[in-house]
Amino acid sequence: MSRYDFSTLSSQDFEELSRDLLQAEWSVWLEAFKSGRDKGIDLRHIRADGGATIVQCKHFIRSGFAKLLNHLSKDELPKIELLKPARYVVVTSVSLTPGNKDAIVQALNPFVITPNDVIGAEDMDGLLSRHSSVERKNFKLWLTSTEVMERVLHNAEICQTEFEVQKIRTKLPLFV
């Protein structure tokens, strides 16, 4: 599985990547909103029965887990309590341990239901490996993925070889 360097993405890029991956994984359409004060909503899916799944994307790759947890419990929890979603999902570019996920679930209880509702950097890597169309769409990830760069380089060799073979085939009838 490829490991991606999410530090090349802006916060907006990370949010768009998260939306594309979750839409592909969950097979639902997620609403996205303009940048700025979002009242705790980066992405949203409202079911037919009116229940809402809210997704908050936190690109804290340089800050680390401690600042992420502090921000979620101090700044985001009051917003979540006002929203009262049926489900709240946190997507982050921070690498997480099982204990980190449990701490987030506990801090955002009862809105984050299970550790599966906390998606860390390694989970994002896994989603990208399952949804290659999303990987292809987000070209900023290519520069940090050895696997993708190798595919691009080998593709160039294949295309050049096919071009040369086609050129020879067109000239072949000229020779006796």
Side-chain angles (χ1 to χ4, degrees):
M1 177 171 64
S2 294
R3 302 260 319 145
Y4 293 92
D5 178 5
F6 297 111
S7 68
T8 61
L9 303 177
S10 68
S11 292
Q12 184 66 32
D13 293 334
F14 182 74
E15 190 174 310
E16 290 170 7
L17 173 64
S18 300
R19 180 199 61 215
D20 294 345
L21 283 171
L22 292 178
Q23 284 183 153
E25 183 69 11
W26 296 345
S27 299
V28 298
W29 179 69
L30 290 169
E31 295 176 275
F33 307 97
K34 71 178 189 167
S35 296
R37 297 202 175 271
D38 57 22
K39 297 184 181 179
I41 303 172
D42 284 333
L43 307 170
R44 178 175 66 184
H45 172 71
I46 300 178
R47 297 187 316 258
D49 66 5
T53 297
I54 305 293
V55 179
Q56 188 66 34
C57 304
K58 293 297 173 190
H59 192 32
F60 276 50
I61 195 160
R62 290 184 177 92
S63 303
F65 175 72
K67 286 192 179 185
L68 172 67
L69 183 61
N70 184 52
H71 174 77
L72 289 171
S73 53
K74 297 259 188 299
D75 298 334
E76 295 300 327
L77 185 57
K79 296 176 194 175
I80 301 168
E81 289 169 340
L82 290 173
L83 292 168
K84 295 180 178 65
R87 181 180 182 199
Y88 192 83
V89 177
V90 176
V91 181
T92 182
S93 55
V94 175
S95 289
L96 301 173
T97 66
N100 294 154
K101 285 187 171 197
D102 292 340
I104 292 173
V105 170
Q106 187 175 6
L108 301 179
N109 188 16
F111 305 105
V112 176
I113 300 167
T114 72
N116 291 335
D117 289 339
V118 180
I119 300 169
E122 289 76 16
D123 299 318
M124 295 288 282
D125 289 339
L127 289 171
L128 281 163
S129 70
R130 286 211 311 259
H131 302 287
S132 58
S133 62
V134 174
E135 178 189 48
R136 283 191 301 273
K137 183 178 170 185
N138 289 274
F139 65 90
K140 288 184 180 180
L141 293 175
W142 300 357
L143 302 175
T144 60
S145 171
T146 306
E147 184 178 311
V148 174
M149 291 307 287
E150 284 177 358
R151 265 190 278 158
V152 169
L153 292 173
H154 291 299
N155 188 45
E157 289 174 13
I158 291 168
C159 289
Q160 184 63 35
T161 303
E162 287 175 0
F163 176 73
E164 291 298 327
V165 168
Q166 187 61 31
K167 215 164 84 174
I168 291 168
R169 283 191 180 141
T170 58
K171 289 185 180 182
L172 201 56
L174 300 175
F175 299 100
V176 178

